[in-house]
Amino acid sequence: MRASLLILFACTIFYHSQAQDLDIPFVLDATGVPECIQACLSDLFYSAAKLVYLENPVEKFHELCRTYENASQCLENQKDICYQTTIFDIALSGLDEVCNEREEDWMEHKDCLEAHSEVVLKNCDRECRFTDVMITLSGKGNPEGLQKLQEDQEALQKEMGSVCTSFGCMSSCAARDLNINCSPAGTIIVEALLKPFFTIATIFEEIGPRAKISIYRQVPSQCYYLVDYEEVHGISHGKLPSKMTSKNPEEAVLNEITTKEEMKKKKKAELEKMFLMEAQKGR
């Protein structure tokens, strides 16, 4: 539950004017961020908040990357005295990917992105109501609001559901429309930013059904796609997340198992067909 609150808080601070009024240490405490690394993350959150205006996004992203480098070094310096940095390494791995590992790839399209990214992101925002969701959450991103959400799982699930729906829409839209104008920059950027979810989805694939059910119970069905590797991969190529038809975690896992079994049977049938065709040719 604390992890869910952390994600929720990270989303609320994207509305910059409200973020300035937050009691950062209190809220970070409420969301489970260890005190030993809180100072490392505050500036990064505020820098990310500037992106919500969607004006000159390439320039603002460069600023965010510089702030990320400072935060990353700060976290590294705290590892000897703070043993809870791993989850934040994963959470920030998307920024590391786009700011370092894949920077040269998307920088090849810098001129095109500077010309089109602002319009693309604003159009996607209108389509996905991303800023509207963030603004709504910003009113709840205060210590009192977070305390209430922490105590009310149903309310938290509802808020998280809205965030996940809007996030999936915004991410896939950005990948799709940036690719239309600056291919393949949309996929490069979104794929890099989604690295934490690729990592989580890979881990999720390896755990058993009971563990999956336990995880599904902690998040609304609108967020299930974030732990599905194929869904995350699809988003990075401009595909909207699938609408989940499962009514409960048990059904979701059962559907997943059934789908995988059907895929195995289909692949087996295709291989058998190919084998028979090759055998007939050899006669």
Side-chain angles (χ1 to χ4, degrees), residues 168-228:
C169 175
M170 187 73 180
S171 300
S172 59
C173 179
R176 181 193 68 215
D177 290 1
L178 285 175
N179 278 345
I180 290 173
N181 293 283
C182 310
S183 182
T187 292
I188 291 171
I189 293 170
V190 174
E191 190 174 64
L193 289 173
L194 292 179
K195 185 177 180 180
F197 299 105
F198 279 109
T199 301
I200 293 168
T202 300
I203 296 171
F204 196 72
E205 281 294 308
E206 301 300 321
I207 65 177
R210 288 186 179 180
K212 287 186 177 183
I213 289 172
S214 176
I215 292 172
Y216 274 139
R217 282 175 176 164
Q218 297 180 50
V219 296
S221 60
Q222 296 96 318
C223 302
Y224 287 176
Y225 73 88
L226 289 172
V227 291
D228 185 314

Side-chain angles (χ1 to χ4, degrees), residues 229-266:
Y229 192 95
E230 292 302 319
E231 290 282 349
V232 178
H233 178 76
I235 290 170
S236 68
H237 286 77
K239 182 182 177 183
L240 270 171
S242 302
K243 290 186 177 180
M244 294 297 172
T245 57
S246 307
K247 296 180 180 179
N248 55 62
E250 290 80 1
E251 185 180 346
V253 172
L254 181 60
N255 287 343
E256 180 185 339
I257 293 172
T258 302
T259 300
K260 287 183 178 179
E261 288 298 322
E262 289 175 352
M263 289 176 65
K264 285 181 181 179
K265 289 179 181 178
K266 184 178 179 181

